[in-house]
Amino acid sequence: MNYDAWFLFFLGMVSSILLVNVVQWIMYGERVYGLYVLYTLAWITYFVVRHLPLPDNVLSFARVAGPITAYMFYFALVADFLHVWKQRPKLHRPYQILQISLLLYCLVKAYMCFVQDHWTPATHDLVQNIFRFILIAVAIYVTALFFRSKDTVSRFFVVGTTLMVVTHLVTVSLSVRITDMNYVWNSWRNPYPYMQAGIVLDLMVFSIGLSYRHRREAIRKATVERELDYEREQRHREHLQAELTMQQLKHEKTEMHMRALQSQINPHFLFNSLNSLSALIGDNPQKAEQFVDQMSVVYRYLLQAGDRELTTVASELAFIHAYGNLLTTRFGRGISIELAVSEASRDWLLPPLTLQLLVENAVKHNVVHSGKPLRIEIRTDQANRLIVSNNLQRKPIRQVLSSGKGLANISEKYRLLNLPGIKVSESADVFSVEIPLIESVLKAA
């Protein structure tokens, strides 16, 4: 095969690769395909121009401008293909210097070819070969940086660039020895088929690498999309579960609220409260008025608690303050309620009437007497748990009428909230219940 036949074969292969990548550029719109098209087009233009009957100075300039333009597109293509600036950010500055140097060289060559007449083929060949060796050295250096990379895309780059570097070295070596181009034009000593073969091999490897890269990105995007779909499905399930939980909470809350009302609005409770109020009206009218106010606060809270699944610690403490005043009026020095709740915990949440049930539980099961006062303490710890404790002085079992559902009801509410349950502990002297608080980002309904 003579060079003319080989050249047509070369143009056909490179043009086919160009057409394929133009289609991919249009389909995907990625910058890397655009750079690849420009890189391929630069080589086609360069070799076509070399076969045109042009003046010597134009051909001399084309011999410089063509490869340099192709190399500039090549380095930009590699930077996008391998994400060089992310993996090797220190190469960005040398890359800019190289680009500027190539542009300056083109400008100087244009000035020598089109403005001045002081240029000779020997000088041109010498300078041209120096720049070729510089570009080959740069390509070898960048290839060496990614040689040990385990990334498949990087390996495509290493193979393609190595093939091009080897064929370019052969081309430069043969070009240096040529004295009569007409003699070697159709012989094995012609340097251009080696250069063109290297370009074709490089383009083919890069095309395969781009296809692999695009397929890998498509798989990655599909995987991410599946993960997002799975996450959305999980959130939907969690949302449905949360709605079901809230419905169960409403049911439990209604039952708890009715039980609390039944335990307070009963003849015994009203009898004790009215007796206390009757005694205060004659002895201390001002305190009787305060007592009525506290009763109104207690009953108002009991009625409003039916509208909420959660309430703040601050609201519960305000209720317990009013409820405690009723107990103090009734039992006098026989009972005391001490509060040691941190300010940071007051905005946290818990089910309404929780504290009332625990205080009522302490009063129901323990002796309340001025000689043996019942001390109830409500405090928080560093783990944002609410602790309700009392000194243990149990009533005889026969005096206690209890369904035992108070603590069970609170535990069930926390189970429905998917939170750790309450912790009940008892020693010889102290009975305590630990209540986990709920973060304030969960708004009460």
Side-chain angles (χ1 to χ4, degrees):
M1 179 186 293
N2 60 25
Y3 179 71
D4 291 335
W6 161 258
F7 180 68
L8 292 176
F9 179 67
F10 165 75
L11 284 182
M13 288 190 295
V14 177
S15 298
S16 298
I17 295 173
L18 174 65
L19 181 60
V20 169
N21 283 278
V22 167
V23 173
Q24 289 179 320
W25 189 17
I26 294 173
M27 288 177 58
Y28 305 127
E30 293 186 35
R31 183 172 181 267
V32 66
Y33 288 106
L35 292 171
Y36 191 73
V37 167
L38 294 174
Y39 172 60
T40 309
L41 191 61
W43 282 126
I44 293 175
T45 304
Y46 168 66
F47 285 108
V48 169
V49 169
R50 286 186 62 87
H51 279 70
L52 297 178
L54 298 173
D56 290 342
N57 61 337
V58 176
L59 286 175
S60 180
F61 177 73
R63 289 178 63 191
V64 173
I68 286 180
T69 302
Y71 291 138
M72 292 178 68
F73 286 133
Y74 177 77
F75 289 129
L77 170 64
V78 170
D80 270 30
F81 186 67
L82 299 179
H83 303 293
V84 173
W85 310 141
K86 293 182 180 179
Q87 299 187 46
R88 307 281 180 173
K90 293 183 179 180
L91 291 179
H92 194 262
R93 184 63 175 173
Y95 169 78
Q96 291 179 328
I97 295 174
L98 177 63
Q99 296 285 72
I100 294 172
S101 300
L102 293 176
L103 288 175
L104 290 176
Y105 176 53
C106 285
L107 292 175
V108 171
K109 192 63 181 179
Y111 177 79
M112 293 175 62
C113 292
F114 299 111
V115 179
Q116 297 290 331
D117 294 330
H118 304 292
W119 63 276
T120 61
T123 304
H124 163 78
D125 290 340
L126 177 62
V127 177
Q128 179 73 355
N129 287 330
I130 291 174
F131 264 86
R132 282 179 177 175
F133 278 116
I134 292 174
L135 293 174
I136 289 173
V138 171
I140 293 174
Y141 174 72
V142 177
T143 304
L145 290 178
F146 293 91
F147 180 75
R148 295 185 179 181
S149 175
K150 296 182 180 180
D151 181 54
T152 305
V153 173
S154 299
R155 291 177 177 176
F156 278 113
F157 158 74
V158 170
V159 172
T161 306
T162 301
L163 292 171
M164 187 175 68
V165 167
V166 171
T167 55
H168 275 51
L169 283 172
V170 174
T171 300
V172 174
S173 300
L174 293 174
S175 298
V176 172
R177 299 179 181 181
I178 290 176
T179 57
D180 185 2
M181 177 59 75
N182 293 325
Y183 171 75
V184 300
W185 194 255
N186 291 315
S187 72
W188 64 271
R189 294 177 61 191
N190 184 356
Y192 294 105
Y194 297 99
M195 181 179 181
Q196 292 163 352
I199 292 171
V200 170
L201 292 173
D202 179 51
L203 290 174
M204 292 175 62
V205 172
F206 259 93
S207 292
I208 298 172
L210 282 172
S211 299
Y212 174 82
R213 177 178 176 269
H214 182 75
R215 178 176 175 80
R216 187 176 69 177
E217 286 297 313
I219 293 174
R220 185 189 64 81
K221 290 180 180 179
T223 302
V224 171
E225 187 63 30
R226 284 198 299 270
E227 291 176 353
L228 290 175
D229 289 341
Y230 176 77
E231 185 177 350
R232 284 192 288 266
E233 183 180 353
Q234 287 294 106
R235 290 183 178 179
H236 181 64
R237 290 178 179 177
E238 291 173 0
H239 178 71
L240 293 177
Q241 183 64 34
E243 288 185 350
L244 178 61
T245 299
M246 292 307 295
Q247 292 297 327
Q248 292 174 327
L249 280 173
K250 287 180 180 179
H251 174 74
E252 292 292 328
K253 174 224 32 180
T254 301
E255 182 180 349
M256 182 178 181
H257 177 62
M258 292 303 298
R259 186 158 49 247
L261 285 177
Q262 290 172 359
S263 66
Q264 298 301 329
I265 308 176
N266 59 61
H268 181 68
F269 178 81
L270 287 175
F271 178 78
N272 288 330
S273 298
L274 292 175
N275 275 344
S276 299
L277 177 61
S278 177
L280 289 174
I281 290 175
D283 298 337
N284 193 336
Q286 184 177 0
K287 193 171 183 180
E289 184 178 350
Q290 294 175 356
F291 185 83
V292 171
D293 291 338
Q294 298 297 338
M295 284 186 64
S296 66
V297 170
V298 169
Y299 281 101
R300 187 184 306 113
Y301 188 85
L302 290 173
L303 294 172
Q304 293 175 348
D307 299 328
R308 300 188 299 271
E309 281 73 41
L310 296 171
T311 188
T312 63
V313 172
S315 298
E316 279 284 282
L317 292 177
F319 166 73
I320 286 298
H321 177 73
Y323 184 72
N325 285 338
L326 294 183
L327 295 176
T328 301
T329 303
R330 176 183 170 189
F331 295 106
R333 296 182 180 180
I335 189 170
S336 65
I337 299 178
E338 300 176 3
L339 302 179
V341 177
S342 66
E343 290 295 327
S345 301
R346 291 176 180 263
D347 291 331
W348 287 54
L349 307 177
L350 74 167
L353 300 177
T354 298
L355 293 183
Q356 187 270 341
L357 284 176
L358 295 176
V359 172
E360 179 191 22
N361 191 66
V363 173
K364 182 183 296 183
H365 292 275
N366 291 276
V367 174
V368 182
H369 191 273
S370 59
K372 295 181 65 177
L374 177 65
R375 294 184 298 275
I376 301 174
E377 182 183 15
I378 302 175
R379 58 185 175 86
T380 51
D381 61 9
Q382 294 182 348
N384 282 313
R385 289 174 299 195
L386 193 67
I387 302 171
V388 180
S389 61
N390 61 270
N391 56 322
L392 202 57
Q393 41 193 33
R394 288 191 179 280
K395 293 179 180 179
I397 297 178
R398 64 180 182 275
Q399 296 182 11
V400 179
L401 297 176
S402 175
S403 62
K405 292 184 178 181
L407 294 177
N409 186 277
I410 298 174
S411 297
E412 180 65 12
K413 282 212 166 189
Y414 275 91
R415 185 190 67 80
L416 293 174
L417 288 169
N418 293 319
L419 294 171
I422 66 174
K423 180 180 179 182
V424 180
S425 59
E426 180 179 338
S427 66
D429 302 319
V430 177
F431 179 87
S432 65
V433 180
E434 294 183 7
I435 304 291
L437 297 179
I438 305 166
E439 291 187 38
S440 58
V441 291
L442 300 174
K443 303 299 183 184

